[in-house]
Amino acid sequence: MKPAVRLSDRTFLVRDPSIVPATIVPLVNEIAQTPEKYELYQNYPNPFNPSTMISFDLPEASKVTLKIYNLLGQEVMTVFDNVDFEDGAQEIEFNATQLSTGVYFYRISATSLDEESGASFSETKKLMLVK
């Protein structure tokens, strides 16, 4: 049987006064801020099966259209057409169960609801469906 040892005799167990415990500093809630510009992000996951997330930013309330095209540029699906969205970061789930495996393009078109601004935006990105 070994004799008992005091904890203070074990240096690795004694608190070092020079070490300051970490503190958590909350960040300013940047997610809730209104985006500065229109932007369309790459879908994720990509490639996907059968659904993927498509994200975009709207700096102001807008009418938005999202369409899917095949490699020949033919429209194969309208996800939504002239739908009113509030300003901010948006994310939608796109389900492609009725499409076949292949490369497609998604195009977003947005027009500001503010007639004075008259801002419009359009961008296209590629996505790949693998079944």
Side-chain angles (χ1 to χ4, degrees), residues 64-120:
V64 180
T65 299
L66 179 63
K67 295 185 177 188
I68 310 298
Y69 299 90
N70 63 16
L71 279 174
L72 299 175
Q74 300 165 326
E75 181 182 325
V76 294
M77 181 183 296
T78 299
V79 180
F80 46 82
D81 190 23
N82 284 326
V83 175
D84 292 347
F85 278 87
E86 294 295 320
D87 59 346
Q90 311 293 331
E91 186 173 56
I92 61 109
E93 181 177 3
F94 168 59
N95 190 323
T97 53
Q98 65 276 24
L99 298 177
S100 60
T101 297
V103 176
Y104 295 90
F105 295 93
Y106 58 104
R107 180 177 185 85
I108 189 170
S109 300
T111 305
S112 172
L113 293 176
D114 181 8
E115 293 177 10
E116 289 181 17
S117 164
S120 64

